[in-house]
Amino acid sequence: MSNDTARNARSDRGVVRTVVSGAIRLLGDLLAVSLWVLFLTLLFLETGWPRWAFYAMLVVGVAVYVTVTAAWTRDGDD
């Protein structure tokens, strides 16, 4: 009986660790993408480049970010 309690406590800690890790990753991703959008917005307002180039650079930048950070996950499948 006490063995089940210890196993449940370890399992609960694993779930909490996973949720906290996911929340931190989400906040980091949100910060990185927000800074990229801010940088592009200021750059394009200053230079007056066309809007289609803004969206192209936005999509390419996010795609590169996802490609680079996907390898940082523990199992690499995410």
Side-chain angles (χ1 to χ4, degrees):
M1 190 69 132
S2 64
N3 210 6
D4 291 338
T5 305
R7 187 178 309 137
N8 287 340
R10 267 187 271 128
S11 175
D12 290 345
R13 277 183 268 150
V15 169
V16 169
R17 186 178 300 130
T18 301
V19 169
V20 169
S21 173
I24 290 171
R25 171 78 190 254
L26 185 63
L27 289 174
D29 290 346
L30 180 63
L31 178 65
V33 172
S34 296
L35 288 173
W36 179 243
V37 170
L38 177 65
F39 170 74
L40 285 180
T41 300
L42 294 175
L43 178 68
F44 276 77
L45 285 174
E46 183 68 27
T47 59
W49 291 342
R51 187 178 294 179
W52 63 266
F54 171 83
Y55 288 111
M57 288 182 68
L58 179 65
V59 169
V60 167
V62 171
V64 167
Y65 175 79
V66 169
T67 302
V68 168
T69 59
W72 296 352
T73 59
R74 253 187 300 211
D75 54 8
D77 294 334
D78 294 336

